[in-house]
């Protein structure tokens, strides 16, 4: 039922050396998660796995564009239309993380890999049960949320997770899966940069 899943990945993108960047993809019919280690360069970590698994599409929780005001489209220098709509952080506030994500996108575009910006928080807020389960994350219990996903999508064999960064990469993967089926929702102006949920 699910085909070619090994060719796309969901990524929760974190600070460069914090050990919080997580990648979720399908390997030989089984979903797996890989997470960077503290002190490891997250951008090199991601490039290694993109190349190793021949990933063709990346669905990443990170800004891939900046507000239109910087290229004479609009007057808002802090937020894109999509950021305001989904209540995401400003790409300008995220600064270096935004620049790194855009640089990775440009680097891999030359090799035919496409990057799509997704927002797991927006997807979760759009699903009442998911939101209720996810908001209990302060308890540290990730298994309840994964069980919720298993109940909602029984055809998908969701992996076990160790932390909420990994959960977010799983949701990025799920948004990517829905995107490839034409079932994800685009938020924002295509000329400025859209966020998919």
């Amino acid at each position: 039922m699910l085909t070619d899943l090994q060719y796309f990945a969901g990524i929760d993108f974190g600070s460069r050396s914090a050990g919080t960047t997580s990648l979720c993809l399908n390997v030989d019919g089984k979903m797996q998660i890989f997470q960077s280690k503290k002190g490891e360069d997250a951008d090199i970590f991601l490039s290694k796995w993109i190349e190793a698994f021949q990933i063709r599409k990346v669905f990443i929780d990170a800004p891939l564009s900046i507000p239109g005001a910087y290229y004479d489209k609009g007057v808002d220098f802090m937020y894109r239309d999509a950021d305001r709509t989904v209540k995401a952080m400003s790409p300008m506030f995220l600064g270096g993380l935004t620049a790194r994500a855009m640089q990775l996108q440009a680097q891999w575009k030359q090799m035919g890999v496409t990057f799509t910006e997704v927002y797991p928080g927006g997807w979760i807020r759009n699903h009442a049960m998911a939101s209720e389960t996810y908001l209990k994350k302060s308890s540290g219990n990730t298994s309840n949320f994964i069980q919720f996903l298993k109940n909602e999508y029984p055809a998908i064999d969701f992996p076990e997770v160790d932390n909420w960064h990994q959960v977010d990469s799983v949701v990025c993967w799920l948004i990517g899966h829905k995107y490839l089926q034409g079932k994800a929702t685009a938020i924002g102006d295509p000329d400025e940069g859209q966020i998919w949920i």
Side-chain angles (χ1 to χ4, degrees):
M1 182 176 178
L2 304 177
T3 60
D4 296 330
L5 299 186
Q6 68 270 29
Y7 298 114
F8 78 93
I11 294 173
D12 183 40
F13 196 53
S15 298
R16 187 164 222 143
S17 57
T20 56
T21 293
S22 178
L23 177 145
C24 177
L25 74 162
N26 184 284
V27 181
D28 296 329
K30 183 173 176 56
M31 287 179 67
Q32 293 189 28
I33 292 175
F34 302 89
Q35 184 169 341
S36 62
K37 296 180 175 61
K38 191 165 186 176
E40 178 181 16
D41 187 311
D43 300 359
I44 294 173
F45 160 84
L46 288 176
S47 291
K48 176 181 75 174
W49 290 114
I50 290 170
E51 183 175 2
F53 287 108
Q54 300 181 347
I55 294 166
R56 308 318 300 159
K57 296 182 182 300
V58 169
F59 296 89
I60 188 168
D61 180 14
L64 294 175
S65 63
I66 59 174
Y70 288 94
Y71 40 94
D72 300 323
K73 293 184 178 180
V75 295
D76 192 337
F77 284 83
M78 278 300 291
Y79 293 93
R80 301 167 297 172
D81 177 63
D83 302 315
R84 290 200 180 276
T85 302
V86 300
K87 300 184 171 115
M89 292 178 76
S90 162
M92 310 316 293
F93 178 80
L94 292 169
L97 186 139
T98 298
R100 286 172 45 227
M102 292 175 70
Q103 185 174 18
L104 271 175
Q105 175 183 232
Q107 170 192 334
W108 282 99
K109 183 178 181 181
Q110 298 175 34
M111 272 74 92
V113 179
T114 61
F115 276 54
T116 301
E117 182 178 345
V118 299
Y119 184 39
W123 182 88
I124 288 162
R125 278 200 294 270
N126 264 15
H127 297 75
M129 289 299 293
S131 183
E132 180 181 334
T133 310
Y134 187 88
L135 287 173
K136 295 175 182 173
K137 70 179 184 176
S138 58
S139 68
N141 186 359
T142 56
S143 60
N144 284 346
F145 188 77
I146 293 299
Q147 187 57 53
F148 160 78
L149 291 180
K150 288 179 177 180
N151 293 343
E152 288 289 303
Y153 303 96
I156 300 175
D157 183 20
F158 289 101
E160 296 304 315
V161 296
D162 294 328
N163 56 58
W164 289 101
H165 300 294
Q166 294 182 6
V167 169
D168 281 344
S169 71
V170 169
V171 177
C172 289
W173 182 94
L174 179 61
I175 297 169
H177 175 60
K178 296 176 88 57
Y179 175 96
L180 294 171
Q181 292 181 317
K183 295 179 180 178
T185 301
I187 307 294
D189 181 349
D191 292 332
E192 184 182 42
Q194 291 182 309
I195 298 172
W196 291 80
I197 61 171

